[in-house]
Amino acid sequence: MERLHIRELSRQLAQAQNMSIADAEKFVTQMFGVIKEGLEEDKVVFVDSFGSFRSVLSQGRTTVEFTPVESLAERINAPFAIFKTEEVTADVADDEIETDPEEEKAEELPAADAAETETAEEDVEEKVEALSEKLDALTETIERKRRFSKKLWISLLVVAVIIASAFVGYNKMETKRIQEEQQKKKAVRAQQLKHRQDSINAVKLNMDATDLTDQQKQEIVGKGSEGAPDYPCSTTLENAKSLLPCAGYTIDGTMKVVVVQKGQTLFDIASENGLAQGEFLVQVHNGIESVREGQNIRIPRLRKK
């Protein structure tokens, strides 16, 4: 098979696919670029239903070998199946060469048979000419099959590039997705560590620094939306108060007021405001045993003792 340069391959691709030579050349260049990257990374690139490209080091020089799949090899070699291999050697003796009996007989013909010999030669020339025409027709058939094989080769290369490009694009998308997931996990982990540290600090806080009674606190908080279900706190108000003496902080007013959303528990509210394990702190500051949708919950401002 003749060797095709990128420009010639691009020209044939443009003609076969009805596209501009510039686009075809750009496409072929990118195709071989993809194959080159694959060979540099894995030393072998395999295209399903097409064949494999393999990087081989021989005598200090790196070459690329292409091995088509069996079905493709059969289609490429089909036009050349009519040829038969014959072995010819240089050590054949002259007496071993077969001679044409007709030629020997022609040499022995007398001069009187010259006209008959000339007629026979004309018949031979006609047969040779007819055979030559058949050979020309056969050559044209082979050439058409060769051109067809070349177009088939180009089409298969185009399919291989499309498949390789799709595979590379999928790998890039998958890599990006994995990186985004890892970043999200890192952000979640960082938030969890922050909440953990906040909860450790919250255990040291002294929240029992308000003059409001439990009834006054509940009146400020309110009962929430009518008909909404109650979500009990994790512990009773008295048990929550018993956790305060060991705290190293005191309440310095209310930092902000939040509204309980549907389905939220006091633990959820405390976690969202930096007190992942400090539900009892918010509970004592508000003087409540449970929360309900629509309630106002005061988030305490803390001051170190």
Side-chain angles (χ1 to χ4, degrees):
M1 180 178 292
E2 62 182 283
R3 181 174 181 180
L4 295 178
H5 293 281
I6 289 181
R7 193 160 190 81
E8 174 64 16
L9 184 60
S10 301
R11 186 187 66 78
Q12 296 186 19
L13 175 61
Q15 182 179 359
Q17 301 297 324
N18 193 23
M19 60 192 298
S20 67
I21 294 180
D23 291 341
E25 186 170 350
K26 181 179 179 181
F27 182 81
V28 171
T29 302
Q30 291 179 348
M31 174 193 71
F32 285 110
V34 171
I35 294 176
K36 180 180 178 182
E37 291 179 2
L39 291 174
E40 289 176 351
E41 293 181 1
D42 302 327
K43 304 301 181 184
V44 61
V45 175
F46 179 76
V47 180
D48 191 19
S49 302
F50 183 63
S52 62
F53 298 85
R54 185 182 304 276
S55 178
V56 179
L57 180 62
S58 177
Q59 298 180 354
R61 189 168 64 94
T62 301
T63 59
V64 178
E65 294 182 354
F66 171 71
T67 304
V69 294
E70 185 176 354
S71 59
L72 176 59
E74 291 177 355
R75 296 186 67 177
I76 294 176
N77 294 326
F80 309 99
I82 63 173
F83 294 103
K84 181 180 179 181
T85 304
E86 293 290 344
E87 183 177 358
V88 178
T89 61
D91 56 351
V92 179
D94 293 340
D95 56 356
E96 294 180 1
I97 301 177
E98 295 183 1
T99 59
D100 190 348
E102 296 296 330
E103 292 181 359
E104 293 179 354
K105 188 179 294 184
E107 293 177 357
E108 298 174 358
L109 289 177
D113 297 331
E116 183 178 353
T117 302
E118 185 177 352
T119 302
E121 290 178 353
E122 291 178 354
D123 292 340
V124 171
E125 290 179 358
E126 291 178 356
K127 291 180 180 179
V128 170
E129 184 176 354
L131 182 60
S132 177
E133 292 177 355
K134 291 183 179 180
L135 182 59
D136 290 340
L138 180 60
T139 303
E140 178 63 22
T141 300
I142 294 174
E143 180 63 20
R144 285 199 303 267
K145 290 184 177 181
R146 187 188 69 81
R147 290 195 297 267
F148 172 77
S149 297
K150 185 180 293 186
K151 290 182 179 180
L152 176 63
W153 171 261
I154 294 174
S155 299
L156 291 174
L157 281 178
V158 172
V159 173
V161 171
I162 293 174
I163 295 174
S165 299
F167 180 74
V168 172
Y170 172 78
N171 282 344
K172 289 183 178 178
M173 292 177 59
E174 186 66 13
T175 300
K176 183 178 179 182
R177 184 188 65 81
I178 293 174
Q179 290 176 348
E180 290 177 350
E181 288 184 355
Q182 290 177 346
Q183 290 176 354
K184 290 180 180 179
K185 289 180 179 179
K186 289 181 180 179
V188 172
R189 178 59 178 167
Q191 189 67 19
Q192 290 176 344
L193 292 175
K194 181 179 181 301
H195 287 170
R196 180 181 178 185
Q197 186 61 44
D198 290 342
S199 65
I200 294 174
N201 295 336
V203 174
K204 303 175 182 179
L205 301 181
N206 181 3
M207 302 293 293
D208 194 13
T210 177
D211 295 332
L212 298 177
T213 65
D214 293 342
Q215 183 177 355
Q216 289 173 325
K217 292 177 182 178
Q218 290 176 354
E219 290 176 356
I220 294 174
V221 172
K223 296 182 179 180
S225 301
E226 184 176 356
D230 287 334
Y231 294 95
C233 301
S234 300
T235 184
T236 64
L237 183 57
E238 292 302 321
N239 288 338
K241 289 180 178 180
S242 66
L243 299 174
L244 298 177
C246 63
Y249 292 80
T250 183
I251 295 175
D252 188 18
T254 299
M255 181 174 62
K256 62 179 178 178
V257 177
V258 298
V259 179
V260 180
Q261 303 299 316
K262 184 177 181 180
Q264 273 191 322
T265 64
L266 188 60
F267 178 80
D268 297 332
I269 295 172
S271 298
E272 291 177 2
N273 289 276
L275 301 173
Q277 304 296 329
E279 175 187 359
F280 73 96
L281 303 171
V282 183
Q283 182 179 356
V284 170
H285 188 52
N286 289 271
I288 55 177
E289 296 281 350
S290 62
V291 296
R292 179 181 294 184
E293 179 186 354
Q295 276 185 308
N296 294 324
I297 299 298
R298 299 178 300 147
I299 306 300
R301 180 186 295 110
L302 306 178
R303 178 169 54 85
K304 193 173 183 179
K305 288 183 178 179

